[in-house]
Amino acid sequence: MKRSLSVITIFSTFVSCFAPYAVVAAPPRNPDKTVNCDMLVVGGGLSGVATAYEGLLAGRRVCLTEITDWLGGQISAQGTSALDERPTQRRKLFYSRGYLELRKRILEQYNQLNPGKCWVSDSCFLPGDGHKILGRMLKNAAKKGKGKLQWFPNTVIKELDISSDGKIINSAIAIQHQPAKGASPLNTLPLSQTIEDSYSYQNSDQFNKKIIRFVSRQQKQRNTPNWYVVDASETGEIIALADVPYRLGIDARSHLEPSSSSANNDPYCTQGFTYTFAMEATKDAQKQQMPPFYMQYSPYFSYELERLASFPLVFTYRRIWSPQQGEPMKFRGINFTAPTPGDISMQNWTWGNDYRPGTSQDNLVYTRQQLESSGQLQPGGWIGGLRTESLRKAEELSRSYFYWLVAGTTDSQLGEGVKKPHPNHRFLSGLNSPMGTVHGLSKYPYMREGRRIIGRPSWGQPQGFTIWEIDISRRNYQDNYYRETLIPKMFRRLQVALAGLEATSIISGEKRLEDTGRRTRSTVYADAVGIGHYAIDFHPCMVKSPPEAPGNQERPNERRGAGQAYPFQIALRAMIPQKIDNLLVGGKSIATSHIAAAAYRVHSFEWSAGAAAGTTAAFALKNNVAPYQLVDELPRIEPQLLALQRLLNQNNNPTAFPDTSIFNDNWDDWK
């Protein structure tokens, strides 16, 4: 950021002393367009699309914004078009109705679910097709439900107008960009070179800007909100801009988060993010050009583990297109088909193109303190809340990783003699390439973690509702590590929390801690509105800055919390932020801890959370009730909450897995 932080800090302090709660900087001109919505969905990833899908089926007018020009987030603009699923859930096809339709349409598109013949998933496909499929789904949903979709690609939210009491978002100002006259087409330059411009009101050599004001379609006064804003962005942009309470990075070790790698909060250590790219196998060797910055990043790259040290294995891991059948292969127990010329692989590898900053000097997602000191929380100051320099370096890392794959001979984790050159491949770039960009990288990085709200104070959680590690993990917390690492009082609280129905006997002393068994299910929520199932999967931050520094290592004990999880639920309380009554949160920004978030981030979860947000917003508008009013009397029965849950289940958006009950401890079959 080319600004003086000291000057901005002084200015911010001056303004905060005199400004009312809600101040909106005047744009340089009146909005070019005012758009009326029942629901403003910010972010066109899977959660945002699912929100819009359900809103349209409910007959609502939905405005959907997205910083890129593709729908789908993970499966399109971020390039990770390989559906992360767990075997039992996939075998039972127990998903939200929209996610099932997505899988069906992928099958119809290719006459098979896995045109890439990848081995990481049952479905790997081309990112651009993901965008097209989702577009058709939204069009059909609008027609079927008699809703109206207003789609705003290349659009970012710049400002919010919040009521004087801080409870309602009255309107939102957005900026939509298109190429300036004589400028290169969109997706020519990588994100690091365009993101700050896209948040500026002024036209530039790159972009012409349109200023759009989003407001409620219902102008008559109600005693509850007359429209809803849903933050389905990849990093929790709206929760940062609205300045509601949230967490970022590692949570302090506690009886609820016992595997935390830190005794204190660390907002700078989030999971790594990745610019994916596509590469094609060729019959002949290609002339490979070393990037000028390759030597800076070459100390980082590795196959990581001996059981993964196979180029064909890595290539086919996320192969997204395979026009012919290769010969069967097997490496260290993993079966796959050999690459053949014409095969296209999408690369997303931890010790490859994962960029993993973890310090205050290089973290990607700015903390609240960093936002405040840089002026981004001042009127008109918001420019996305990300460190542009880290985006740029992640782009360089990905280009360097391709060169390592095809020409590299070093391995930072396994040593010399492991990595061999594989020149029969080419880097795919161009507007018609799989990533749809001239530079060949994904339009937006694959984000595993962003800002996570802290829910409102709730029964059992007076500090704010959160889904914690122990709510989902299969880990054995009787392990000596926890006895030795946690102070005795914390360890006892952990065992009591895990005891479930036996907790009263433990507290009263009727039963010893040693007599309690392992937890055998996830927490059951009375306000469940969706489902998910995936392992707690970590791509940890690195210790030193910069991440690619020679000899750098992952944050110690960050992977301690990784492992299998039980099928879990999405609580409505996890989607309702503090302070603002007409803001709902979907996707990865719901109220989860750092460790729980490592499971609550994959494709089917994002869809389920979005379906819950869209259905809840439509239900709230129809029934003249605010979402927080559905859960404010828990644990007492909430009739309107039960009505919402019935609606979700009737619409084939499950709120619980089969046989979910506090009395059912038999989840061993769910792998």
Side-chain angles (χ1 to χ4, degrees), residues 253 259-262 481 554-562:
R253 191 177 302 123
S259 302
S260 173
S261 62
S262 176
Y481 171 84
E554 295 179 353
R555 174 82 174 240
N557 288 323
E558 258 293 88
R559 292 183 187 266
R560 167 63 57 176

Side-chain angles (χ1 to χ4, degrees), residues 158-175:
K158 176 70 172 178
E159 302 190 57
L160 301 174
D161 175 18
I162 300 176
S163 61
S164 58
D165 63 3
K167 293 184 177 181
I168 297 292
I169 298 175
N170 293 323
S171 65
I173 298 293
I175 302 172

Side-chain angles (χ1 to χ4, degrees), residues 73-369:
Q74 289 193 51
I75 70 167
S76 58
Q78 297 171 40
T80 49
S81 49
L83 301 181
D84 288 322
E85 299 171 343
R86 301 307 292 161
T88 308
Q89 189 178 12
R90 182 171 58 223
R91 186 175 70 249
K92 294 177 179 289
L93 289 178
F94 200 77
Y95 299 108
S96 304
R97 61 177 173 179
Y99 187 80
L100 287 172
E101 183 181 345
L102 169 62
R103 294 176 98 260
K104 179 182 177 183
R105 286 177 177 266
I106 293 170
L107 176 62
E108 293 171 346
Q109 176 85 17
Y110 299 104
N111 292 318
Q112 57 179 311
L113 196 59
N114 191 3
K117 302 179 180 67
C118 66
W119 57 267
V120 72
S121 169
D122 271 16
S123 183
C124 294
F125 50 92
L126 296 169
D129 289 338
H131 161 68
K132 294 173 185 176
I133 287 171
L134 292 173
R136 292 193 292 268
M137 287 177 59
L138 291 182
K139 184 178 179 180
N140 288 347
K143 182 178 180 181
K144 182 178 179 180
K146 299 182 179 179
K148 182 177 181 180
L149 174 67
Q150 299 181 90
W151 158 234
F152 297 89
N154 314 311
T155 302
V156 298
I157 301 298
K158 176 70 172 178
E159 302 190 57
L160 301 174
D161 175 18
I162 300 176
S163 61
S164 58
D165 63 3
K167 293 184 177 181
I168 297 292
I169 298 175
N170 293 323
S171 65
I173 298 293
I175 302 172
Q176 186 175 50
H177 62 268
Q178 292 295 337
K181 185 177 181 180
S184 301
L186 295 177
N187 302 307
T188 297
L189 299 174
L191 182 66
S192 68
Q193 297 182 39
T194 63
I195 187 169
E196 291 190 20
D197 192 356
S198 69
Y199 282 90
S200 170
Y201 284 122
Q202 284 72 31
N203 292 331
S204 67
D205 292 340
Q206 292 186 93
F207 299 140
N208 286 331
K209 315 290 179 58
K210 179 184 291 185
I211 301 174
I212 303 169
R213 181 172 178 257
F214 293 105
V215 297
S216 169
R217 182 166 70 105
Q218 301 180 36
Q219 298 303 318
K220 67 178 182 178
Q221 295 296 314
R222 294 162 39 119
N223 57 2
T224 58
N226 57 11
W227 77 316
Y228 284 90
V229 178
V230 178
D231 187 347
S233 66
E234 297 301 322
T235 60
E237 281 195 54
I238 302 304
I239 65 176
L241 191 54
D243 205 17
V244 300
Y246 60 87
R247 293 187 182 91
L248 187 60
I250 298 174
D251 298 292
R253 191 177 302 123
S254 72
H255 70 288
L256 301 171
E257 193 87 348
S259 302
S260 173
S261 62
S262 176
N264 303 303
N265 299 321
D266 185 346
Y268 307 115
C269 181
T270 59
Q271 291 223 45
F273 67 100
T274 309
Y275 277 104
T276 60
F277 60 84
M279 57 189 293
E280 181 182 20
T282 59
K283 181 179 179 181
D284 301 316
Q286 306 294 301
K287 183 178 181 180
Q288 307 295 348
Q289 185 70 38
M290 178 189 290
F293 38 74
Y294 175 74
M295 297 308 293
Q296 176 183 344
Y297 300 98
S298 61
Y300 176 76
F301 302 124
S302 174
Y303 283 132
E304 185 175 1
L305 301 171
E306 288 186 7
R307 63 181 176 85
L308 302 174
S310 160
F311 180 89
L313 185 83
V314 172
F315 182 87
T316 58
Y317 176 60
R318 292 181 182 270
R319 182 172 50 189
I320 56 177
W321 178 248
S322 183
Q324 55 183 313
Q325 186 77 33
E327 293 295 321
M329 293 186 71
K330 187 173 184 177
F331 185 83
R332 302 292 176 90
I334 299 175
N335 297 305
F336 56 97
T337 58
T340 58
D343 283 4
I344 297 174
S345 172
M346 174 268 291
Q347 287 299 315
N348 173 18
W349 194 255
T350 305
W351 283 88
N353 49 340
D354 273 10
Y355 197 63
R356 301 192 277 164
T359 73
S360 61
Q361 287 75 48
D362 53 18
N363 63 310
L364 174 67
V365 183
Y366 278 147
T367 66
R368 189 190 183 283
Q369 184 179 14

Side-chain angles (χ1 to χ4, degrees), residues 449-494:
E449 183 181 355
R451 301 175 185 90
R452 312 180 307 275
I453 63 167
I454 303 172
R456 301 188 181 202
S458 175
W459 177 72
Q461 297 202 44
Q463 303 304 314
F465 182 85
T466 299
I467 297 170
W468 296 97
E469 171 194 351
I470 66 168
D471 288 316
I472 66 171
S473 179
R474 290 179 182 254
R475 183 163 293 280
N476 177 12
Y477 293 105
Q478 296 287 352
D479 186 281
N480 283 337
Y481 171 84
Y482 298 99
R483 296 178 181 272
E484 296 168 0
T485 304
L486 305 183
I487 62 175
K489 181 179 179 181
M490 188 180 294
F491 182 74
R492 182 175 180 82
R493 291 189 70 187
L494 167 64

Side-chain angles (χ1 to χ4, degrees), residues 503-548:
T504 302
S505 299
I506 297 295
I507 294 171
S508 66
E510 296 176 21
K511 200 166 190 177
R512 298 183 306 164
L513 285 175
E514 294 76 9
D515 295 334
T516 60
R518 291 180 58 178
R519 187 163 200 172
T520 54
R521 59 165 172 78
S522 61
T523 296
V524 178
Y525 295 110
D527 58 334
V529 289
I531 59 170
H533 190 205
Y534 202 68
I536 301 172
D537 181 26
F538 272 105
H539 294 237
C541 74
M542 305 296 281
V543 172
K544 295 187 293 186
S545 178
E548 69 275 10

